[in-house]
Amino acid sequence: MKYIENIVINSPVLSPEYMFSSSYEDWIDVEQDKTYYTEETFLPKIMIEIGIVKSINEVRRNKPDLLMNLDKPNYIEIKWGKRKLFILVGEKE
């Protein structure tokens, strides 16, 4: 499984290119490959999809504050162990 760092949920107001990279070249060369697009809004399920955790119970035991639905436009950064996730949430179409 490839390394995922950036997550885009639904259709964000701002392009992921502007949020996750410093230039167009940076987006193409580095960040685009580390970006995951999904319609799922429940954060633990997204973490399972990209392979960070094995179950929702693992999130519930270790970081219960991450049991959240991301259904409103937002930008958040979370940390799980040594991994950081940058999450851009948009409106559902």
Side-chain angles (χ1 to χ4, degrees):
M1 175 164 270
K2 69 179 188 175
Y3 182 80
I4 301 294
E5 189 174 275
N6 309 318
I7 299 172
V8 179
I9 301 172
N10 296 324
S11 298
V13 176
L14 205 59
S15 169
E17 175 188 334
Y18 295 113
M19 290 301 293
F20 300 134
S21 63
S22 58
S23 67
Y24 181 73
E25 291 78 24
D26 179 44
W27 172 252
I28 296 299
D29 295 340
V30 180
E31 300 299 332
Q32 191 173 26
D33 291 336
K34 298 190 299 186
T35 304
Y36 180 74
Y37 297 87
T38 185
E39 301 261 327
E40 178 63 55
T41 59
F42 190 53
L43 183 56
K45 277 193 175 183
I46 296 169
M47 293 170 71
I48 291 170
E49 288 175 7
I50 63 174
I52 293 179
V53 297
K54 295 193 186 306
S55 69
I56 294 173
N57 283 333
E58 185 178 346
V59 177
R60 187 175 288 124
R61 277 191 310 271
N62 296 313
K63 284 203 172 187
D65 56 313
L66 295 182
L67 291 171
M68 65 174 98
N69 266 326
L70 302 170
D71 50 4
K72 295 183 179 138
N74 200 354
Y75 174 80
I76 63 170
E77 297 178 8
I78 64 166
K79 188 167 183 193
W80 184 270
K82 293 182 179 180
R83 296 217 26 204
K84 279 190 171 185
L85 291 178
F86 306 94
I87 304 170
L88 180 60
V89 184
E91 290 279 335
K92 189 167 181 108
E93 292 182 347

